[in-house]
Amino acid sequence: MNYQQAKIRADILKALAHPVRVLIVNALADGERCVCVLNELAAIDQSNISRHLASLKRAGIVSDRRDGMKVYYRLETPCILKAFECAVEVVRADTKRRNKDLKAV
Amino acid sequence: MNYQQAKIRADILKALAHPVRVLIVNALADGERCVCVLNELAAIDQSNISRHLASLKRAGIVSDRRDGMKVYYRLETPCILKAFECAVEVVRADTKRRNKDLKAV
DNA sequence: TGACCTTATGCTGATATGCGCATATAGTAT
DNA sequence: ATACTATATGCGCATATCAGCATAAGGTCA
């Protein structure tokens, strides 16, 4: 793998690497949602959610569709959810390891 | 999922979200490597590689082992590689979509 | 048209990240 | 102890990211 290829992968991961964006992607797992609903995922300004959605869209992870006044976002590549499972596995393994280290003391 | 849980996942993804760290993890896929080898993955300062390794370690993604003067790093959770596959899938799907859009014009 | 609702964008400041250089630390060897 | 190799850390600078506020832009409805 060369640097350019690594950068492409890194950019996708970076697009996912924020708590609010993780919440958004997770919420979209079951299907499309309008911004108004996603707004309630975290206690932050509406403009902020809008920007997070924009960066997910830029990365190709979600796409949007307007219906009247509302805009609906949906996952373009549900495989993204696997990346989360993996993250959980890292944390779980890490916790287990640290506990073992503690016992060894 | 609450914000705290989302943050934990985001922190793992963030630890992976840099071209150099992607290169490192990719290089470790086949087994442990010493820093001296990882140093050659990209044209950057040695101190920089060291820091990237430290952040991967902090996240629990790699672990290290000293042998004489050398320090060897290895993947602690190989499932990380799946996250990359997923990133590739996102890019591929995105490219395909854009091409279709172009044809539609 | 004007009032209203939903979502996006410009601006600015605060904080985080990444980099190289110099230097510290750990280990080996003479 | 000295010299040498390998890796990590302190520092300062440049740039990126994120937040909120204000406001624009797109759409509805009376």
Side-chain angles (χ1 to χ4, degrees), chain A residues 83-99:
Chain A
F84 290 173
E85 290 168 26
C86 167
V88 173
E89 193 175 319
V90 172
V91 176
R92 195 157 29 219
D94 196 43
T95 308
K96 202 177 287 179
R97 226 174 306 121
R98 285 181 208 281
N99 286 343

Side-chain angles (χ1 to χ4, degrees), chain A residues 36 46-47 50-51 69 71 73:
Chain A
C36 52
Q46 171 270 323
S47 67
S50 188
R51 262 183 250 275
M69 279 187 297
V71 176
Y73 280 82

Side-chain angles (χ1 to χ4, degrees), chain A:
Chain A
M1 196 187 312
N2 63 32
Y3 193 91
Q4 181 55 29
Q5 294 169 319
K7 177 159 172 36
I8 290 171
R9 285 159 178 74
D11 284 343
I12 302 289
L13 294 169
K14 203 190 301 188
L16 288 169
H18 186 285
V20 170
R21 294 195 291 272
V22 169
L23 285 173
I24 291 173
V25 169
N26 187 61
L28 296 181
D30 297 329
E32 67 174 15
R33 295 282 184 276
C34 71
V35 179
C36 52
V37 168
L38 299 174
N39 249 320
E40 296 162 9
L41 289 174
I44 62 173
D45 199 86
Q46 171 270 323
S47 67
N48 217 339
I49 288 278
S50 188
R51 262 183 250 275
H52 284 301
L53 286 167
S55 65
L56 286 170
K57 186 178 167 188
R58 228 178 298 120
I61 294 169
V62 304
S63 60
D64 60 346
R65 158 180 91 79
R66 180 177 273 276
D67 180 11
M69 279 187 297
K70 298 190 176 176
V71 176
Y72 291 85
Y73 280 82
R74 68 172 182 283
L75 283 190
E76 197 64 53
T77 324
C79 115
I80 283 297
L81 299 166
K82 281 189 212 139
F84 290 173
E85 290 168 26
C86 167
V88 173
E89 193 175 319
V90 172
V91 176
R92 195 157 29 219
D94 196 43
T95 308
K96 202 177 287 179
R97 226 174 306 121
R98 285 181 208 281
N99 286 343
K100 214 192 314 182
D101 292 351
L102 282 178
K103 280 183 200 150
V105 172

